[in-house]
Amino acid sequence: MTVTPEIDVDIRANIALPPTDLLIGGEWQPAAAGERFDVIDPVTERVIAQVARGREADVERAVAAARAAVDGGAWSKLSGVERGKLLFKLADLMERDFRPMTLVETLDIGQPLKNPAGAIAALRYYAGWADKIDGRHVSLPDANGRPTHTYVRREPIGVVAAITPWNSPLMTGAWKIAPALAAGCSVVIKPPEDAPLSTLYLGALALEAGFPAGAINIVPGFGLEAGAPLVAARGVDKVTFTGSTAVGRQIGATATAALKAVTLELGGKSPQVVFADADIDRHIPMMARQFYLNSGQVCAAGSRLLVQRSALDRVLEGVAAQLKKVRVGDPFDPRTQIGSLISRKQFERVSDYIEQGRSQAELVTGGNRIGDSGFFVEPTLFTGTNDIVIAQEEIFGPVGLAVPFDTYDEAIRLANDTPYGLASVVYTSDISTAHRAAADIKAGMVRVNGGASVPALQVPFGGMKASGVGRELSYSGIEACTVEKTVSFEL
Ligand code: NAD
């Protein structure tokens, strides 16, 4: 049942907000120009905070503080064990503040009970790595056959600039700062202008945990005003970005022209490939969840349902029935499954795609706004072909498109027929089909017969094609924040 949102005003009035200034060199500071920007609750469209609006001068101060931290500052003198302890402490403080952090992130994003569990888990995972990053020894004679003592050091890359999106800023932020800090880098993080509060909360807890000045710096602000100068800043050694492909291209170009290391986690248009031999009834709820959770504002959302023709009617009927049951409403209501889109801009974008869907495909269910305040959209399913706009472009809303196929080869061709290659799901009961598809689909992640939509920390995450460059999470995250140096002694 889809419900009209009823808004809990009391809970909103009593949420304790974090500091709203810039965190630079271990101190909260206003922006140099003294400016602030409004942070809006997407559900009520009311201003919930006014946050310092960072610009180039602020970015420069933050990068200088981060440089000092790694160039001989207190942070650079800590051992891996000590860095790990600080990361564990930060995770413990986030667990202590689990409820208030949940309220802040939920208020900021408008999605149901966005708790810090994923961020806490990432901090602990990388806290464990901090004292296990080592180099290697290579047994090697020199050109004259004399023995040498040669070893390879794995060193922190230096200052890491992290830019995050609004759909899960605390978790994506933790995926960036945790490996960087574990490796001994310092960070300057620019949280999204639409949802900066949870990152500022994390900053306050980092100070409480006792991170040395400059290890973690936060510069909230807008993309062109704070993000772009951060990417270009001379003191930055590595840029790690999660966001849209269009912005990622610009960031990648700037960073690589300056020969900085770069990791880009970008958009997606991920296929769910349903073979007729799959246990369809069992998987139908998963097929629906893949594109309505977080109102579809998930980079790895399975927004294209490619279905073998003989199973199409069953899948359309089953998924539509699931979508009709989804409770859309106030994110603070524990019964709510999905909340509001993040902003008016995103609502207009999603509505525009739904209109294009109506003209180019057949609407199966949904397609409407719910209520007239907040940005609630019904979970929506279309059926059509893979060459239309809503099959090719990322919508970032609760909108799926079902496309029929006949043969295995056609399924793979359709699965790979978008600019993106982030994630995918394959449903089949045939183990050979599953393994063949896992090899043939061009995506950073293939899940067979379901699996969590948030990737496990222990395995690499990232995209192919226009979905990104490089990998986050697992030990790959540590490698991405470190450089190797060869040292050789003549003996
Ligand atoms: P966005 O690209 O507009 O913004 C992301 C961040 O980049 C924000 O902090 C923004 O201020 C900043 N930014 C914007 N322009 C910039 C510039 N020129 N230079 C530097 N920084 C700039 O994306 P969004 O709308 O916030 O997020 C949605 C997008 O993020 C979707 O495309 C989604 O697929 C993608 N995303 C990807 C992943 C992933 O891991 N692959 C995860 C979440 C979201």
Side-chain angles (χ1 to χ4, degrees), residues 130-366:
D131 63 354
K132 298 171 192 70
I133 303 168
D134 50 25
R136 61 201 151 99
H137 169 259
V138 186
S139 179
L140 211 63
D142 73 4
N144 300 318
R146 286 168 54 91
T148 72
H149 174 58
T150 301
Y151 60 94
V152 182
R153 291 166 52 84
R154 184 169 283 283
E155 300 183 347
I157 201 163
V159 173
V160 172
I163 300 177
T164 48
W166 43 258
N167 57 337
S168 269
L170 190 59
M171 191 178 70
T172 41
W175 289 0
K176 297 184 184 312
I177 67 170
L181 295 168
C185 301
S186 57
V187 295
V188 179
I189 180 160
K190 195 212 78 68
E193 57 271 35
D194 283 319
L197 298 177
S198 57
T199 307
L200 293 164
Y201 203 133
L202 179 142
L205 296 183
L207 288 185
E208 189 181 339
F211 277 88
I216 303 175
N217 307 274
I218 304 173
V219 183
F222 290 82
L224 287 176
E225 296 171 2
L230 179 58
V231 173
R234 283 189 60 187
V236 166
D237 300 294
K238 185 211 159 93
V239 179
T240 170
F241 169 78
T242 296
S244 61
T245 294
V247 172
R249 268 187 222 286
Q250 293 170 25
I251 289 179
T254 307
T256 41
L259 305 179
K260 294 173 186 171
V262 65
T263 301
L264 303 171
E265 301 288 359
L266 309 177
K269 194 74 201 177
S270 299
Q272 300 191 65
V273 186
V274 187
F275 289 97
D277 63 12
D279 185 349
I280 288 176
D281 292 341
R282 178 160 76 90
H283 297 310
I284 287 243
M286 161 65 76
M287 293 176 202
R289 272 201 306 277
Q290 286 284 335
F291 65 90
Y292 76 68
L293 278 184
N294 219 35
S295 292
Q297 302 168 123
V298 176
C299 53
S303 51
R304 288 185 304 137
L305 260 176
L306 310 179
V307 189
Q308 200 150 24
R309 200 174 301 274
S310 61
L312 183 65
D313 289 346
R314 230 166 111 205
V315 169
L316 290 181
E317 203 178 298
V319 171
Q322 289 292 319
L323 298 181
K324 285 182 190 146
K325 283 195 292 192
V326 174
R327 287 189 70 106
V328 186
D330 185 0
F332 290 109
D333 181 336
R335 294 165 305 173
T336 294
Q337 290 170 280
I338 64 172
S340 165
L341 295 173
I342 184 76
S343 62
R344 179 170 295 281
K345 186 172 146 209
Q346 187 64 12
F347 171 72
E348 283 167 2
R349 201 179 120 93
V350 171
S351 303
D352 183 53
Y353 277 119
I354 289 177
E355 284 317 304
Q356 297 197 53
R358 284 183 199 276
S359 65
Q360 297 178 345
E362 190 186 323
L363 182 67
V364 180
T365 186

